[in-house]
Amino acid sequence: MKVQDVRQKFNNIKEQVEKRVFNSYLLEYIETPNIDEDKLLILVSILESLDLSFEKIKTYTLSTMLIQIALDTHEYISGAVVDEKKRQLTVLAGDYFSGLYYKLLAESEDINMIKSLSKGVKEVNENKILVYQSDLDRVDSLMTSIIRIESSLLTKVSDYFKVEFWNEFLANLLLFKRLINERNEYFQSGCSIFFQSLQKIFFSEVKLEDLTEPQQQQLLKVCDDYLERLKQAVEKALITLPNLNDFLVKRVKLLLSQYQPYAKTFVEEG
């Protein structure tokens, strides 16, 4: 598969997503919606490998990304301190993006895909509740919930088209990306949803901001042990997984290159 073909489809669909979510009125009152380009590229890559028409690739990718953006927009409300008007408009914006998703798939008359993605939305929301309310008492349970938050929509697409062999790669890559982002946020602000959850699992009697340096390093080591294993698993998949295009491979390798062991990071940050 030519890199240029995938790149053109990716850019075309990204522009279509932007046209729908970068509403000039909404942007006066809400944060600019985040378009996860990695998830977008993975979706294009999965669908491109199925020999679908570009119109079908566009419809399925657009609809999945719109519901992903709706979920991300609603999540912003959970994690940010905003005034009431901005809160209400952000909720409405998320609902608006959800409406666009339903409209696209309804027009395509693919009711089964609507049902499939709706199950993915349910999984995402159920696991967000578990993580945000810190109802998890084991690290593996926490990781499983984050995997479902990050990858449920995409795995529902691969399940729908009977290409489940993508799912392990999706889970590992998207968990890796989330952990890298949580780790960076913790270094920059001293706080993150993931590290708050880890703190309650390991040091429930101490607030996250009051952890000693050895305690912080213990949490970082837990994170880094997972990052190392995930990196190795993704690198293996890049060799063994069929139908990977060069554009996706390059992007994945760039993402993997962001990982740096915590001991080295501590030296550099210090």
Side-chain angles (χ1 to χ4, degrees):
M1 188 186 305
K2 294 181 180 178
V3 172
Q4 193 62 26
D5 291 342
V6 177
R7 189 189 301 271
Q8 287 175 346
K9 288 173 182 173
F10 168 82
N11 288 331
N12 182 295
I13 296 172
K14 181 186 172 190
E15 288 176 8
Q16 295 296 317
V17 175
E18 290 172 345
K19 284 180 182 178
R20 287 163 171 79
V21 302
F22 291 167
N23 180 290
S24 58
Y25 175 75
L26 287 175
L27 292 181
E28 291 181 24
Y29 300 99
I30 69 170
E31 295 294 320
T32 302
N34 175 56
I35 299 173
D36 191 320
E37 295 187 8
D38 296 309
K39 290 181 181 178
L40 174 57
L41 178 55
I42 291 168
L43 283 166
V44 172
S45 298
I46 291 174
L47 297 171
E48 171 73 23
S49 70
L50 299 173
D51 198 30
L52 298 174
S53 70
F54 179 62
E55 283 306 309
K56 285 190 176 292
I57 293 173
K58 185 167 66 173
T59 296
Y60 290 128
T61 304
L62 266 174
S63 54
T64 307
M65 288 306 300
L66 285 169
I67 198 63
Q68 179 69 64
I69 292 166
L71 289 167
D72 293 343
T73 300
H74 284 150
E75 183 171 2
Y76 170 78
I77 290 299
S78 302
V81 178
V82 295
D83 62 56
E84 188 57 29
K85 180 178 181 180
K86 188 171 184 179
R87 177 183 298 275
Q88 291 175 354
L89 285 168
T90 304
V91 170
L92 288 173
D95 294 342
Y96 169 68
F97 301 145
S98 295
L100 293 178
Y101 139 76
Y102 282 114
K103 181 175 183 291
L104 271 172
L105 284 182
E107 287 174 349
S108 73
E109 300 183 345
D110 198 332
I111 304 305
N112 288 328
M113 177 60 92
I114 292 177
K115 291 179 180 177
S116 185
L117 287 176
S118 294
K119 290 178 183 177
V121 171
K122 182 173 181 286
E123 282 185 16
V124 170
N125 286 330
E126 287 174 347
N127 284 280
K128 280 183 178 179
I129 291 170
L130 290 174
V131 172
Y132 275 87
Q133 293 186 352
S134 300
D135 286 340
L136 303 165
D137 57 5
R138 293 165 51 92
V139 177
D140 57 350
S141 299
L142 173 60
M143 296 299 182
T144 297
S145 282
I146 294 177
I147 285 172
R148 288 175 178 158
I149 290 169
E150 293 299 321
S151 64
S152 283
L153 289 183
L154 274 68
T155 56
K156 288 296 179 285
V157 174
S158 60
D159 289 344
Y160 182 78
F161 287 105
K162 312 296 184 189
V163 285
E164 298 90 343
F165 56 81
W166 281 90
N167 290 354
E168 184 177 357
F169 170 72
L170 292 176
N172 289 332
L173 178 64
L174 295 176
L175 177 58
F176 179 91
K177 180 179 177 179
R178 177 66 182 262
L179 293 185
I180 285 287
N181 289 338
E182 293 283 345
R183 191 171 173 271
N184 290 341
E185 185 178 348
Y186 183 59
F187 277 126
Q188 292 166 12
S189 68
C191 186
S192 88
I193 293 298
F194 172 72
F195 278 91
Q196 283 178 343
S197 298
L198 276 188
Q199 167 259 316
K200 289 188 177 179
I201 291 171
F202 286 96
F203 307 110
S204 57
E205 73 287 353
V206 184
K207 293 181 179 179
L208 184 62
E209 60 269 25
D210 294 332
L211 293 178
T212 64
E213 185 169 317
Q215 288 172 329
Q216 292 176 43
Q217 291 192 21
Q218 182 175 339
L219 298 189
L220 285 162
K221 186 175 187 306
V222 170
C223 180
D224 279 34
D225 285 346
Y226 271 89
L227 282 169
E228 186 63 46
R229 290 198 294 272
L230 291 165
K231 181 172 182 285
Q232 292 175 9
V234 172
E235 287 174 338
K236 181 179 179 181
L238 291 179
I239 299 170
T240 60
L241 195 67
N243 301 319
L244 286 180
N245 60 77
D246 289 343
F247 187 33
L248 177 60
V249 170
K250 288 178 182 177
R251 196 172 185 103
V252 170
K253 287 182 177 179
L254 182 62
L255 178 60
L256 294 179
S257 70
Q258 295 179 23
Y259 171 65
Q260 196 177 73
Y262 83 98
K264 185 175 180 181
T265 307
F266 255 112
V267 171
E268 293 179 355
E269 291 289 329

